[in-house]
Amino acid sequence: MSNKDQLIRCKACGYIMREDLVKEVCPACGLPKSVFEPYRENISPRRRLILGLHLHPIAVHFPQALVVLLFPLLLLGRFLPAPWGHDCIVTSRVLVYLLPLLTLPALISGIIDGRVRFKKLGTPALKQKILLGSLFFLLNTAAAGLAYLRGLEGSILYGVLALLIPCMACQALLGRIGVRLMFARLGG
């Protein structure tokens, strides 16, 4: 096995990288390279391939960005004079329709990622993530339905804003759980 194939891990922070890429300090915590130790990844090549695609982390960022963008865009649409306010509302309407369509792949990829990474979906953290992800999907689907049926005028705009607040809370909780799961040790 060449240095290019060998992995090392920082004893201080747990950062893992290829040995040939280490410089003078750990890229994560800044401690000298002397704190690195040999590391052997203990997962099957198939699981490594699937996890290496990073489908779930990529899919998650689209709906996160939309919810964070929609909230101020809707407010701007309400308070800016025409034509800017109108343009913000029209843009918001399109984005609110896209939100469930982008959330569903994030939810599905999360279930696949959990199954591949942990070999089961019954752990408390994964159950919480599936529940929160489903709630997030239902909330933003309700927002899209409301916008479709009633538009984004007047009090309906505030109804959609009210649905986006728990959407942001779901995302924050999902991220918090996900960050902790990133550091879980994987078995073979």
Side-chain angles (χ1 to χ4, degrees), residues 136-158:
F136 176 58
F137 176 70
L138 291 173
L139 288 166
N140 64 52
T141 300
L146 192 58
Y148 179 75
L149 294 173
R150 304 287 304 271
L152 288 174
E153 308 302 323
S155 63
I156 301 302
L157 182 137
Y158 295 112

Side-chain angles (χ1 to χ4, degrees), residues 9-10 32 37 51 70 89 110 116 144-145 151 157 172 174-175 178 181-182 184 187:
R9 182 179 73 89
C10 177
E37 63 185 358
L51 294 173
L70 268 168
I89 293 296
V116 170
L157 182 137
L174 283 164
L181 287 175
M182 282 186 346

Side-chain angles (χ1 to χ4, degrees), residues 39-67:
Y39 177 79
R40 184 172 175 270
E41 196 172 52
N42 191 24
I43 63 173
S44 71
R46 180 179 170 266
R47 284 177 70 203
R48 184 181 312 118
L49 174 70
I50 293 169
L51 294 173
L53 295 173
H54 303 290
L55 296 176
H56 182 59
I58 292 167
V60 161
H61 292 296
F62 291 112
Q64 285 176 339
L66 278 187
V67 168

